[in-house]
Amino acid sequence: MPTQKGFMQIIFILGIIIVSVGIIGGSFYIKNNLSKVNNINNVQLTPSPSPYGSQEPSLAPSPTSLNTSRGGNCTDDSQCTSGYKCQVLEGEGTVCPEGTNKVSTGTFTLPEASCQPTTKIIKGQCKLTEGGSCQTDNDCYSGLVCHRNICTNPISKVSCSEPSDNSCPDGYKCVQACGPPVAREGDKPPGYFCEVEELANKPRNCPICLASNTQIATPTGDVNVKDLKVGMKVYSVNEQGKKIVVDIIKVSSTQAPASHRVVHLTLSDGRELWVSPNHPTIDGLEAGQLQVGQNYDGSIILSSELIPYWDNKTYDLLPNSETGFYFANSILMGSTLKQ
C-alpha cells in the first residue's frame, strides 16, 4: 500500500501533467485563431448592393465581368456597365453577294433574301452614351462629342433657317450646309441646321465630292471620274435596289483648298474609296460618319481614316435614276448633285 507521502507525490505529478496539457492546448488554439484572422485580412472587401445606395463591405471577390472604367475592353454591349456602349475597334462578319441582303437605306430597300450580313466585335472599348459625363470627345461613343462635359449629339433635332436664327438650343449655332459642289441657276440654296458650337465655330469642310483617283462603273468598264461627260452611260440602282444602266445628267468639279482632307474608306472585301467627309452615302449618313465595324454596301468597314488630299479639285456626277446612286471604286455612293 502506498504511504501518504507517496499519494502526495502522485497528485503532484498529475497536476504537472494537467497544467502542461493546458498550456499546449491553449497555444494551439491561439495559433489556429490567429491564422483565421490573417485569412480574413487577406480577403478583398468589395461593395455589395444596398437599397439605400450605401457601400457595405462584403467578404467576396470583386466582380470582373463588367468593365466599369472608360475605355474598358469589350466584345459586346452587355460587358459594359449602364451608360456605356461597346464601340467597335476591330470586327469581322459575313458578307452577302450584291443585292441579296435586305438593307434599308432611307431611300430604298434591297430585296428580302436568306443571306443576312453579320458583325462580330473582335476588339472594342466601352464608351459613354449620350448624356454621360465626359472630359474629352474620346470618352464618348462614336458620333457624339464632349460638349460642356456631357456626351452630346453634335446635330440638334431642332431646325433653323439662317445664321441669326435663335431657335437652336443653348450651346448650338445655326450653320449652313455645304450644298452642291457647283452652284447653277435655279438651284436651291443649301439648308441650315443647328450644330454644337465647338464644331460650328470651325471652318466648314467643303467641298464634299470624290477624290480624283475615283473609278466609276460603266457598262464598258471603269472610267475615271475626271473623264465623265453628260450623256455617258453608268451603273446605278433604282428604288427596289435593282442595278440599272442610265445616262449621266450632271457632272461637276470644284476647287479644293490646300487644307482639304478626305476619308480613306476600306471595306473587308478589299474595296476602298477616297471621298470628302461630307459626301452623302446610300443610308442617309455622310462618309465621315461611317465607323469601323459597321455594315456598308454588303461589306464591313475595316478602316475609316481622314487623310490630307493630294489634288486641287474634287469631282461628282448625277445619274438619271430615282436614287442618284452610282458605283465609285465599286462602292455604292450617293450624289451631292441630287436635289
Side-chain angles (χ1 to χ4, degrees):
M1 296 291 294
T3 63
Q4 182 177 4
K5 182 177 180 181
F7 275 117
M8 293 298 295
Q9 288 177 340
I10 293 172
I11 291 172
F12 177 76
I13 292 171
L14 289 174
I16 292 175
I17 293 172
I18 292 171
V19 170
S20 299
V21 170
I23 292 173
I24 294 172
S27 299
F28 178 81
Y29 176 82
I30 293 172
K31 181 178 180 181
N32 184 54
N33 280 275
L34 282 176
S35 176
K36 291 182 179 180
V37 170
N38 288 334
N39 288 337
I40 292 176
N41 289 336
N42 289 331
V43 173
Q44 185 177 3
L45 298 181
T46 60
S48 60
S50 168
Y52 305 103
S54 62
Q55 299 293 313
E56 301 287 338
S58 172
L59 299 182
S62 59
T64 58
S65 59
L66 296 179
N67 295 292
T68 57
S69 62
R70 293 175 186 152
N73 294 332
C74 60
T75 56
D76 188 82
D77 289 341
S78 63
Q79 296 175 342
C80 300
T81 54
S82 177
Y84 287 80
K85 188 175 180 180
C86 189
Q87 180 170 312
V88 180
L89 299 180
E90 182 181 343
E92 67 178 14
T94 58
V95 178
C96 298
E98 183 180 339
T100 62
N101 55 306
K102 185 177 181 181
V103 180
S104 176
T105 66
T107 304
F108 73 98
T109 301
L110 295 175
E112 180 77 62
S114 59
C115 180
Q116 293 293 331
T118 61
T119 302
K120 179 182 179 182
I121 301 176
I122 302 300
K123 180 180 180 182
Q125 285 186 333
C126 294
K127 298 284 187 177
L128 287 164
T129 56
E130 190 169 1
S133 178
C134 57
Q135 299 296 323
T136 68
D137 290 348
N138 192 50
D139 295 334
C140 304
Y141 191 76
S142 177
L144 303 177
V145 296
C146 188
H147 172 62
R148 299 180 178 180
N149 297 114
I150 298 293
C151 290
T152 306
N153 191 322
I155 307 297
S156 171
K157 296 180 180 178
V158 177
S159 60
C160 60
S161 58
E162 59 181 6
S164 59
D165 192 334
N166 295 320
S167 59
C168 292
D170 182 38
Y172 287 76
K173 284 187 175 182
C174 187
V175 297
Q176 190 172 27
C178 285
V182 177
R184 292 178 173 82
E185 186 177 353
D187 283 349
K188 295 180 180 179
Y192 289 82
F193 60 96
C194 295
E195 186 175 45
V196 71
E197 56 190 3
E198 293 95 319
L199 299 179
N201 291 331
K202 295 180 180 180
R204 302 300 297 155
N205 193 12
C206 300
I208 56 175
C209 305
L210 303 169
S212 58
N213 64 346
T214 306
Q215 301 292 314
I216 303 299
T218 80
T220 57
D222 290 346
V223 177
N224 187 274
V225 67
K226 296 183 293 184
D227 299 325
L228 295 175
K229 302 289 188 296
V230 171
M232 292 178 64
K233 304 286 186 181
V234 294
Y235 286 116
S236 183
V237 294
N238 60 21
E239 289 185 344
Q240 288 71 47
K242 182 180 179 181
K243 193 173 184 179
I244 56 177
V245 177
V246 296
D247 295 333
I248 297 175
I249 56 176
K250 289 183 181 179
V251 294
S252 67
S253 64
T254 189
Q255 289 293 132
S259 60
H260 188 55
R261 296 163 72 84
V262 293
V263 173
H264 180 200
L265 183 69
T266 305
L267 304 184
S268 59
D269 56 12
R271 290 178 292 167
E272 58 183 340
L273 179 67
W274 291 261
V275 59
S276 299
N278 298 108
H279 193 94
T281 65
I282 60 174
D283 50 13
L285 299 175
E286 296 177 349
Q289 295 175 308
L290 298 176
Q291 299 295 320
V292 172
Q294 289 181 347
N295 285 298
Y296 186 78
D297 192 25
S299 189
I300 296 172
I301 299 173
L302 290 185
S303 66
S304 179
E305 182 184 8
L306 199 62
I307 64 171
Y309 186 45
W310 58 88
D311 215 334
N312 59 0
K313 285 186 178 182
T314 59
Y315 303 83
D316 205 7
L317 66 144
L318 179 62
N320 187 19
S321 66
E322 301 160 309
T323 63
F325 296 165
Y326 52 78
F327 292 89
N329 290 358
S330 300
I331 300 175
L332 194 59
M333 296 296 293
S335 173
T336 63
L337 302 174
K338 179 73 173 175
Q339 295 295 325

